[in-house]
Amino acid sequence: MRSAIIKEGPERAANRSLLKATGVTDAEMKRPFIAVVNSWNDIVPGHIHLNKLAEAVKAGIRNAGGVPFEFHTIAVCDGIAMGHEGMKYSLPSREVIEDTIELMVKAHQFDGMVLIPSCDKIVPGHLMAAGRLNIPAIVVTGGPMLPGYVDDKYTDLISVFEGVGSYSAGKISEAELKRLENLSCAGAGSCAGMFTANTMACMTEALGMSLPGCATAHAIDAKKSRIAKESGERIVELVKKNITPRQIVTRDSFENAIMVDMAVGGSTNTTLHLPAIAHEFGLELPLEAFDELSRKTPHLISLRPSGPNFMLHFDRAGGVEAVMQRLASKLHLDQLTVNGKTIGENLNEFEIVNPKLNKEIIATLENPVHAEGGIAVLKGSLAPDGSVVKQAAVDPKMRVHTGPARVYDCEEDAMKSILAGDIKPGDVVVVRYEGPKGGPGMREMLAATAAIGGMGLLESVALVTDGRFSGGTRGPCIGHVSREASEGGPIGLVKDGDLIEINIPERALNLKVSEEELEKRRADFAPPKKEVTGYLARYQRAVHSANTGGIVD
């Protein structure tokens, strides 16, 4: 056991004395020491219940003969941080989470760890730590929030963000907006659609790092507590057999995850997080892999924001395993998972509880929702190193579009213009200097995209940015434009009125300006200087481009 170094031999009497100060007995000194890594806090809805899940995990560890020790990591709520300076800190928190886990686990020489994250950057941060540390590990994602119910229909956080746009356009009253505000977020859990948090939970299960059914088991469901307890029991077995994350997660595992991502219409943020996770597992996952697999993998389920269904419907239809069952002919079924069985073995044991709903909610390969997967990677003169769009959420009318640029150097300026009614049908809104370095922090643009949606412009207006979008974004919103403006990318050269060509079927994003004119603009180009201090200054110096996953060295 790795923990022997802190608890065995006469020379470790002082170490044992400190452990005994926490209540550890002599009998427990002989058992595996398991870290319970919890992102619980009081401000993030996706995390407010994780203290209860941790108790279930610890009970499972004790059941199996291990000794649990709980510690906490930070967690940023993207929704609360959205639309202001706070969003600059969301993506950078991913590496801080990873680093804090490394510091605690290495300092105390744990034998294994159960990771309990929820929400957008927290799940990736925990997975990155699993890859870096490579000690036995299992992940218990916190689970989705129940949808709200307003005016006789299900709602979620995106309903509220889009309600702001609808209110600004005079389409709903202040009282209607208040109802959305009061009733759309129903309580504990990550927001109720296939946004980034729930996408990453699905990726965790598809990678084999959480038990079957974990991703879609809802935060308040007793099933989630049972999975947590079983995960606590399972980690002790993983420690005894010394089965580590790098034995479970391989390049083929990432291909499985990307195919699931394409089938469920997941968040574009996976193109940031999966490459960063792969990097910590010692693997390379280029942006092009997403597009290659998207062309081969159909979109099978219409979940919010791409369609009408919520995570609740997905869970009742069978969750991730039901989608993997549809995709079985394409998947690498020999990949190991944390329950000790392969993907194929788990699928052979999988039982569809609600066959009618399963058929209604999850399409087949022969008759998919869309022939291609949810994400497309666009390249061209505006994005020489790539950009990303959730094509499953784009109206067919906007899959090919050319329009004049309306250029803004920050999200706040774009938002003011949108809410003031300055954006007209046909426009392409360009928001730049919001990339990993330029932001710094690569803010999500949910407030802007939701306002456009609420004003009824998603069938006629596109948004292009070197920043990124929430998993709740829908419409022709193209992010991660690389190279970013602050590094001299072509998006920094765009002027109001320039024509921008978007062609999703052809995977093209082009600035329709002559090379001669662009050369003149490059000669005069100088990115604006921003005063950056504290952690963001360190992050800005170390972060890489979005097309690499925004990794930090």
Side-chain angles (χ1 to χ4, degrees):
M1 290 191 293
R2 292 171 179 82
S3 60
I5 197 169
I6 65 168
K7 62 186 183 182
E8 290 185 4
E11 68 276 13
R12 295 303 181 198
N15 306 65
R16 289 193 296 274
S17 182
L18 289 167
L19 288 165
K20 287 179 177 180
T22 70
V24 176
T25 67
D26 282 327
E28 288 175 322
M29 290 288 182
K30 300 174 184 177
R31 301 170 188 168
F33 279 12
I34 308 297
V36 178
V37 186
N38 194 352
S39 59
W40 171 83
N41 61 50
D42 275 337
I43 192 169
V44 183
H47 297 72
I48 57 175
H49 64 302
L50 298 187
N51 54 340
K52 302 295 191 299
L53 285 187
E55 291 304 316
V57 167
K58 289 189 282 189
I61 292 169
R62 294 187 185 103
N63 287 348
V67 184
F69 296 88
E70 184 178 358
F71 67 85
H72 295 89
T73 71
I74 60 169
V76 171
C77 178
D78 278 19
I80 296 172
M82 193 71 66
H84 56 84
E85 182 189 17
M87 180 48 73
K88 292 177 183 286
Y89 291 85
S90 174
L91 183 59
S93 74
R94 185 182 70 183
E95 277 71 19
V96 174
I97 291 165
E98 178 187 21
D99 290 347
T100 57
I101 295 171
E102 178 188 3
L103 291 169
M104 287 293 289
V105 169
K106 285 288 192 180
H108 301 103
Q109 294 293 300
F110 288 107
D111 298 303
M113 55 186 180
V114 180
L115 302 157
I116 312 177
S118 189
C119 296
D120 301 34
K121 311 308 163 307
I122 300 87
V123 175
H126 282 234
L127 285 170
M128 289 163 71
R132 181 190 288 181
L133 294 169
N134 199 35
I135 66 169
I138 190 167
V139 183
V140 181
T141 50
M145 180 188 293
L146 289 175
Y149 202 71
V150 183
D151 296 330
D152 295 319
K153 59 185 178 183
Y154 284 123
T155 57
D156 55 31
L157 178 67
I158 308 307
S159 308
V160 189
F161 272 107
E162 293 190 355
V164 174
S166 298
Y167 173 71
S168 297
K171 294 185 175 184
I172 64 172
S173 68
E174 186 174 357
E176 290 173 304
L177 180 60
K178 190 69 173 178
R179 282 206 299 274
L180 287 170
E181 175 187 329
N182 286 343
L183 301 173
S184 291
C185 293
S190 46
C191 299
M194 187 57 77
F195 314 140
T196 304
N198 290 321
T199 301
M200 288 310 305
C202 292
M203 297 300 93
T204 304
E205 186 174 331
L207 284 169
M209 284 300 294
S210 60
L211 292 180
C214 185
T216 60
H218 277 52
I220 65 167
D221 194 335
K223 178 168 60 174
K224 178 65 77 177
S225 294
R226 293 196 297 272
I227 288 171
K229 188 176 290 184
E230 290 166 0
S231 297
E233 293 170 347
R234 183 63 196 159
I235 189 61
V236 177
E237 188 66 20
L238 291 173
V239 168
K240 289 178 180 177
K241 294 182 177 179
N242 196 29
I243 297 174
T244 64
R246 292 194 181 196
Q247 295 171 253
I248 294 169
V249 178
T250 67
R251 173 59 191 251
D252 285 350
S253 304
F254 279 104
E255 289 192 3
N256 284 345
I258 293 173
M259 285 187 272
V260 170
D261 186 19
M262 297 304 136
V264 301
S267 165
T268 53
N269 281 316
T270 56
T271 64
L272 280 174
H273 297 321
L274 289 180
I277 295 165
H279 179 72
E280 294 296 354
F281 275 83
L283 301 167
E284 292 296 323
L285 191 64
L287 185 61
E288 289 74 17
F290 289 85
D291 201 62
E292 290 168 9
L293 290 168
S294 180
R295 292 177 186 273
K296 300 175 184 177
T297 311
H299 178 212
L300 298 180
I301 182 168
S302 289
L303 297 169
R304 291 276 291 169
S306 305
N309 298 307
F310 291 77
M311 291 299 295
L312 187 63
H313 300 98
F314 186 26
D315 185 52
R316 290 171 176 170
V320 171
E321 283 195 295
V323 167
M324 295 185 86
Q325 190 177 71
R326 295 282 203 277
L327 295 174
S329 62
K330 298 177 179 290
L331 298 175
H332 304 286
L333 298 177
D334 59 346
Q335 294 303 288
L336 186 65
T337 72
V338 288
N339 71 352
K341 300 174 184 177
T342 65
I343 294 287
E345 289 169 336
N346 285 332
L347 292 182
N348 286 337
E349 295 178 4
F350 171 65
E351 178 186 3
I352 297 173
V353 177
N354 300 307
K356 183 172 182 288
L357 187 67
N358 174 272
K359 291 178 181 178
E360 289 175 359
I361 297 296
I362 305 174
T364 62
L365 295 180
E366 296 73 27
N367 189 28
V369 179
H370 297 105
E372 292 186 343
I375 291 173
V377 176
L378 313 185
K379 290 189 174 183
S381 60
L382 188 56
D385 293 337
S387 62
V388 180
V389 64
K390 184 187 277 194
Q391 64 172 341
V394 178
D395 188 281
K397 299 174 188 173
M398 291 296 291
R399 291 174 65 82
V400 178
H401 176 76
T402 299
R406 298 295 305 276
V407 183
Y408 303 92
D409 286 351
C410 67
E411 182 190 5
E412 287 85 353
D413 289 349
M415 189 66 178
K416 288 176 187 175
S417 193
I418 292 165
L419 293 179
D422 296 338
I423 305 303
K424 307 303 180 190
D427 286 347
V428 178
V429 177
V430 176
V431 186
R432 61 193 181 191
Y433 302 112
E434 291 287 5
K437 285 185 179 290
M442 202 180 183
R443 288 192 289 180
E444 289 182 347
M445 305 287 170
L446 178 58
T449 60
I452 289 172
M455 297 170 84
L457 294 172
L458 285 181
E459 293 182 7
S460 61
V461 170
L463 197 153
V464 176
T465 181
D466 55 6
R468 61 193 177 93
F469 296 114
S470 162
T473 295
R474 61 189 179 95
C477 300
I478 301 166
H480 307 201
V481 171
S482 302
R483 299 179 305 273
E484 62 176 288
S486 68
E487 293 195 302
I491 192 172
L493 306 178
V494 182
K495 291 185 177 181
D496 278 338
D498 288 348
L499 289 180
I500 293 177
E501 175 193 48
I502 299 166
N503 191 321
I504 295 174
E506 297 296 326
R507 304 299 200 260
L509 180 63
N510 291 308
L511 175 60
K512 307 297 282 184
V513 174
S514 70
E515 187 56 38
E516 292 79 11
E517 173 61 22
L518 290 178
E519 281 300 323
K520 292 178 185 176
R521 295 182 189 181
R522 284 191 190 99
D524 297 328
F525 175 75
K529 293 183 179 180
K530 296 182 180 179
E531 185 67 29
V532 182
T533 60
Y535 178 68
L536 287 183
R538 295 204 303 272
Y539 181 81
Q540 187 178 55
R541 289 193 297 269
V543 70
H544 289 252
S545 177
N547 66 299
T548 71
I551 61 174
V552 173
D553 287 334

